Amino acid sequence: MLQRFMTRGSSSTRRSFLRNGLAAPGVIGTALITEQHLQSAAFAASGLTSGDASILRFLSALEILETDLWQQYNELGGIQDAEVPGGSGSKPYTRALSELDADMPQYIHDNTEDEFTHFNFINAYLVAKGAAPANLDQFRTLQGSTATGAQNVNRLTNLMQLTVDTSWWTRYRSRTKNPDFADTFPQAIPGLIQGKFPAIPRSDADLTPRTHLQAIANTAAFHFGTIEQGGTSIYPSLAQRVSSVEVLRILLSIGPTEALHFQVWHDKAGNAPAVTDPTNGLVFPDLSKPPFAGNEDLQANLIMPEPTVFLSSTFPVCSIVRPTETQGAAMGAVRFLSAMGLFTGQSDGFFAELNALATQADLAQRTI
Ligand SMILES: [Fe+2]
């Protein structure tokens, strides 16, 4: 439906554009007039280029997905209140999360509320500019947790079979490598990428034994960092291709809040207690001992970015967000989220919609 809206919208604006004679030969060289120029110029008349609309719509979709997953965390392990309603909490799961920091429920609550505001704002801005907002409601089909404390509503995302990539841990500690140079990075918790693990209790059966529930809470803590480092990268990556200064301001103002989240979760993950899950063998090593202690690539309290190579190895190293390559960034984000199992059980229609939104965002170019 979104695709139809976009196609219909652009062809009708193109017709009125031509009818008004703005594209007459001599005013703009016809050889230079491409489909994209026509669309961009037409949308610019209402204040938003088609590229800017595509980037904002894709980011809004990502924020809707983030909200859905954070909502599930908040229902069981956060604070359920008027700001973030839904669910009634799981005392055992909240206790296990609090092993990492007594403030975990507050941080989960605040992260969840932030994501709500991100997609609400971006969608409202799109509508105000006459562009279609993102809407994934038709894909809320997944069964969520049945543990006491979770709402019995259908979800967009699946937190119960995650394969969590924790290479951001070493990526942000490296002083010589950068993913934008195709460098790769070792995992902090190798076990998390070698299977499928729940990050929330799937049912009350997951509340015992204690070590199993602690492994679930630890998985969540590392997943928080994995999600928010992605948000930290996607905003600067896409900001490089927006045209309007106001849209740039939106991306530059929301993006750093993802970095604020990431910084907190990076710190909290370093407090994950050593535990081996007796039900599946997942190992969380002792982060206060070697190889984590005494090794700069793994040391648990090195939570600020180490400087590394940026743009060219001829420049001095720089402390930066990484990656920030813009080409293919939107599809890269979709592949990353899909590979972690976040959409396990989703329909073909869901993936088609998400791929279409990402493809449109990746086609966007700066026009001014
Ligand atoms: Fe967000």
Side-chain angles (χ1 to χ4, degrees), residues 6-7 10-11 13-14 17 34-45 48-51 360:
M6 291 164 70
T7 307
S10 57
S11 60
T13 29
R14 187 163 62 247
F17 188 65
T34 63
E35 177 85 356
Q36 187 188 16
H37 282 121
L38 284 168
Q39 286 187 19
S40 300
F43 271 89
L48 210 54
T49 67
S50 61
Q360 290 294 323

Side-chain angles (χ1 to χ4, degrees), residues 63 66 114-115 118 228 235 254 257-258 261:
E63 297 287 0
E66 268 197 300
D114 288 0
E115 309 305 357
H118 288 167
E228 298 301 314
Y235 278 88
I254 293 178
T257 69
E258 307 284 343
H261 299 157

Side-chain angles (χ1 to χ4, degrees), residues 242-314:
V242 303
S243 299
S244 143
V245 172
E246 189 169 76
V247 174
L248 181 63
R249 182 179 181 184
I250 292 171
L251 268 65
L252 293 182
S253 301
I254 293 178
T257 69
E258 307 284 343
L260 294 171
H261 299 157
F262 171 46
Q263 176 74 9
V264 168
W265 300 128
H266 196 162
D267 187 32
K268 300 315 158 201
N271 297 334
V275 69
T276 299
D277 189 328
T279 71
N280 55 28
L282 175 62
V283 175
F284 286 89
D286 188 336
L287 303 178
S288 68
K289 293 194 174 136
F292 287 86
N295 177 348
E296 270 222 330
D297 286 349
L298 288 169
Q299 190 180 319
N301 66 354
L302 273 186
I303 59 166
M304 297 188 193
E306 291 295 307
T308 196
V309 57
F310 181 41
L311 296 180
S312 162
S313 57
T314 61

Side-chain angles (χ1 to χ4, degrees), residues 225-239:
T226 301
I227 287 293
E228 298 301 314
Q229 65 80 30
T232 300
S233 278
I234 195 68
Y235 278 88
S237 296
L238 295 181

Side-chain angles (χ1 to χ4, degrees), residues 2 36 51 59-60 76 78 88 99 104 119 132 143 145 250 265 270 278:
L2 186 56
Q36 187 188 16
L59 287 171
S60 181
L76 290 166
S88 53
E99 287 290 317
M104 289 291 268
F119 89 75
Q143 168 72 56
S145 169
I250 292 171
W265 300 128

Side-chain angles (χ1 to χ4, degrees), residues 40-279:
S40 300
F43 271 89
S46 68
L48 210 54
T49 67
S50 61
D52 282 2
S54 295
I55 285 175
L56 286 171
R57 195 176 295 113
F58 173 70
L59 287 171
S60 181
L62 281 188
E63 297 287 0
I64 288 170
L65 295 167
E66 268 197 300
T67 301
D68 183 82
L69 74 90
W70 276 110
Q71 176 67 36
Q72 294 181 64
Y73 282 127
N74 194 67
E75 289 173 18
L76 290 166
I79 295 172
Q80 306 81 38
D81 61 9
E83 288 176 350
V84 188
S88 53
S90 164
K91 278 202 173 64
Y93 180 59
T94 305
R95 225 173 5 243
L97 286 164
S98 298
E99 287 290 317
L100 284 74
D101 190 299
D103 289 324
M104 289 291 268
Q106 185 67 54
Y107 300 152
I108 290 169
H109 167 278
D110 292 353
N111 203 140
T112 308
E113 186 187 16
D114 288 0
E115 309 305 357
F116 262 113
T117 67
H118 288 167
F119 89 75
N120 270 336
F121 180 90
I122 297 173
N123 268 355
Y125 184 82
L126 281 164
V127 170
K129 295 292 180 181
N135 185 340
L136 301 176
D137 283 346
Q138 65 174 302
F139 303 113
R140 294 184 192 279
T141 57
L142 300 181
Q143 168 72 56
S145 169
T146 58
T148 302
Q151 283 191 101
N152 184 22
V153 296
N154 288 335
R155 316 287 183 169
L156 285 165
T157 61
N158 188 335
L159 296 178
M160 299 187 287
Q161 302 176 56
L162 291 180
T163 300
V164 181
D165 184 333
T166 57
S167 61
W168 50 267
W169 181 279
T170 54
R171 187 201 319 148
Y172 270 96
R173 285 162 173 74
S174 174
R175 300 177 70 92
T176 55
K177 293 181 175 177
N178 182 325
D180 287 334
F181 290 82
D183 291 326
T184 57
F185 302 85
Q187 300 288 322
I189 310 295
L192 276 175
I193 204 157
Q194 291 164 1
K196 296 178 180 177
F197 305 100
I200 51 175
R202 295 162 292 192
S203 70
D204 286 344
D206 273 335
L207 301 178
T208 55
R210 191 192 61 78
T211 44
H212 173 56
L213 187 59
Q214 190 61 55
I216 292 174
N218 287 5
T219 300
F222 275 92
H223 186 235
F224 298 166
T226 301
I227 287 293
E228 298 301 314
Q229 65 80 30
T232 300
S233 278
I234 195 68
Y235 278 88
S237 296
L238 295 181
Q240 295 164 60
R241 284 186 282 109
V242 303
S243 299
S244 143
V245 172
E246 189 169 76
V247 174
L248 181 63
R249 182 179 181 184
I250 292 171
L251 268 65
L252 293 182
S253 301
I254 293 178
T257 69
E258 307 284 343
L260 294 171
H261 299 157
F262 171 46
Q263 176 74 9
V264 168
W265 300 128
H266 196 162
D267 187 32
K268 300 315 158 201
N271 297 334
V275 69
T276 299
D277 189 328
T279 71

